[in-house]
Amino acid sequence: MKRVYLDHSATTPLDPEVLEKMLPYFTEKFGNANSMHSFGQEGAYAVDEARRKIAELIGAKPTEIYFTSGGTEADNWAIKGMAAKLRKKGNHIITSSIEHAAIIASCHQLEEFGFDVTFLPVDKTGKVNPADLVKAITDKTILVSVMLANNEIGTIQPVKELCDIAHKKGIYFHTDAVQAVGSIPVSVKDLGVDLMSFSAHKFYGPKGVGVLYIKGGTKPDKFMTGGHQERTMRGGTTNVPGVVGMAAALEKAVKHLDENYNYVKSLRDRFVKRVKEEIPYVIYNGHETDRLPQNANFAFDFIEGESILMSLDLAGIACSSGSACSSGSLEPSHVLLATGLPVEKAHGSIRFSFGRDNTVEDVDYTVDKLKEIVNKLREMSPLFCEFKGETKNV
Ligand code: PLP
């Protein structure tokens, strides 16, 4: 059976060239990068090189790159580390209502410790209005965190503008760039942010490794206490193969960014055009243009996203309803609800995320199957019968 992977926002396959560069650090170059001997120094050299490369690729200095176990840890560290450090200055944090669970849950945890959190609303395309940020700032605000691009609907936020507003009031700014890095150009210098999270497995690198960029002079509290790794800021034996893989994957993603952006976007655009033209009663969630090239998110009226997802899976097509990280829960997506989509339409939404390994044939196969599946499910749907004015004996 044909298999089509359209869930690149959940994770990407590891690039074989990246794996090739990682392999020696699992085998002959296995030393602990913190050991003084030559085995350790081989690892330390590779970590230094990776740090230097990653810094250069995002417009940072090597000393501003801190390796973590991924995007979730980087987000937790940014939010809780800054909150702990600045507690005496204030107890108010501002974020958006469509952040990834790593940010939302960190903020809710801080609420239990006496912090106040404002979750900024978004418009129907998923964008934060900078005027809402201006209004939300108080003299107790210590941190603003707004994601660069959303994982469910792909909407890209005006982060530079939001960051400027925070800085004018002397407030630190963090952005979760997990979905953006490797897909669109990202430079911490251009954005002006103080902290930025990103993760290797979203750009064809390995799982379990990420970065928190911390601008020089910004000093969050330690999050993982332990050994002296990461200039004493993050304890734990360094994941040398992971770090090497992250640098190799980012280097390749940035080198081919334009080409991949245009290719992936052309597949996504073909998919969106065909779905809009060939399947009635659909809503294209997210922003038309300020959007990640890989993302398409549709609400299919009258039917459940989970049923579409399962039928697509039986046809060999992998995509997701809500974000992969929260799937398994049947709660409607907080992102779609925040855009004003009614609960029943949020339940009927599916995310398709394309990658550089997909083809035009994959797109056409998916649309053909999707048409069949949506038609079949609608025929069985009492809601659709009601809509058509028919009665259905169920
Ligand atoms: N932030 C966003 C926007 C994400 O999409 C994800 C993962 O899907 C994360 C954070 C978590 O990253 P990781 O899987 O590396 O922990």
Side-chain angles (χ1 to χ4, degrees), residues 9-10 69-73 75 100 102 147 149-151 176-179 198-202 208-210 323 325 351:
S9 290
S69 63
T72 300
E73 185 191 324
D75 282 347
H100 185 268
M147 69 202 318
N150 184 265
N151 43 306
D176 173 341
V178 169
Q179 290 289 335
F198 53 110
S199 179
H201 75 103
K202 305 292 183 180
V209 58
S323 71
C325 322
R351 176 186 73 186

Side-chain angles (χ1 to χ4, degrees), residues 118-304:
T118 301
F119 294 91
L120 296 174
V122 293
D123 65 16
K124 68 177 196 323
T125 70
K127 274 217 189 195
V128 169
N129 181 347
D132 288 333
L133 174 58
V134 174
K135 275 189 259 160
I137 290 174
T138 72
D139 55 1
K140 294 267 184 285
T141 311
I142 49 169
L143 179 71
V144 177
S145 177
V146 176
M147 69 202 318
L148 186 48
N150 184 265
N151 43 306
E152 292 187 39
I153 54 177
T155 303
I156 298 170
Q157 300 293 345
V159 162
K160 186 175 165 35
E161 195 181 339
L162 298 169
C163 181
D164 286 347
I165 292 168
H167 282 175
K168 279 200 184 105
K169 298 277 182 184
I171 300 163
Y172 289 98
F173 194 98
H174 165 256
T175 193
D176 173 341
V178 169
Q179 290 289 335
V181 169
S183 285
I184 56 171
V186 177
S187 153
V188 290
K189 234 187 250 158
D190 294 347
L191 293 171
V193 295
D194 304 298
L195 304 113
M196 183 173 90
S197 315
F198 53 110
S199 179
H201 75 103
K202 305 292 183 180
F203 46 83
Y204 303 84
K207 291 166 186 60
V209 58
V211 161
L212 181 62
Y213 156 79
I214 307 176
K215 193 197 271 175
T218 305
K219 293 191 169 69
D221 252 7
K222 291 175 194 184
F223 180 64
M224 292 280 273
T225 48
H228 287 85
Q229 292 87 356
E230 298 303 294
R231 300 175 301 290
T232 78
M233 288 296 282
R234 197 271 185 188
T237 300
T238 309
N239 173 3
V240 181
V243 161
V244 167
M246 182 167 191
L250 188 59
E251 189 175 35
K252 192 163 174 183
V254 172
K255 190 168 168 206
H256 301 287
L257 196 106
D258 287 352
E259 178 193 323
N260 287 335
Y261 180 100
N262 290 330
Y263 179 65
V264 170
K265 183 174 178 297
S266 73
L267 296 179
R268 192 274 315 274
D269 289 349
R270 180 184 180 96
F271 176 78
V272 169
K273 185 166 181 286
R274 280 202 60 192
V275 170
K276 281 182 176 172
E277 282 173 4
E278 298 175 39
I279 306 182
Y281 314 117
V282 297
I283 299 168
Y284 185 40
N285 297 311
H287 199 281
E288 274 295 332
T289 50
D290 293 341
R291 178 177 199 123
L292 291 174
Q294 66 265 37
N295 176 287
N297 188 312
F298 278 105
F300 298 91
D301 265 356
F302 315 114
I303 46 180
E304 288 282 333

Side-chain angles (χ1 to χ4, degrees), residues 271-272 274-276 278-285 296-309 312 319-321 336 341-352 366-367 369-375 377-378 381 383-384:
F271 176 78
V272 169
R274 280 202 60 192
V275 170
K276 281 182 176 172
E278 298 175 39
I279 306 182
Y281 314 117
V282 297
I283 299 168
Y284 185 40
N285 297 311
N297 188 312
F298 278 105
F300 298 91
D301 265 356
F302 315 114
I303 46 180
E304 288 282 333
E306 298 301 316
S307 315
I308 308 172
L309 203 68
L312 284 171
C319 48
S320 87
S321 64
L336 296 172
L341 205 67
V343 174
E344 66 283 3
K345 291 193 199 291
H347 268 306
S349 293
I350 301 278
R351 176 186 73 186
F352 304 85
T366 303
V367 181
K369 286 288 169 198
L370 190 60
K371 266 165 66 177
E372 275 174 34
I373 289 165
V374 169
N375 282 339
L377 291 173
R378 281 183 179 158
S381 157
L383 286 174
F384 191 52

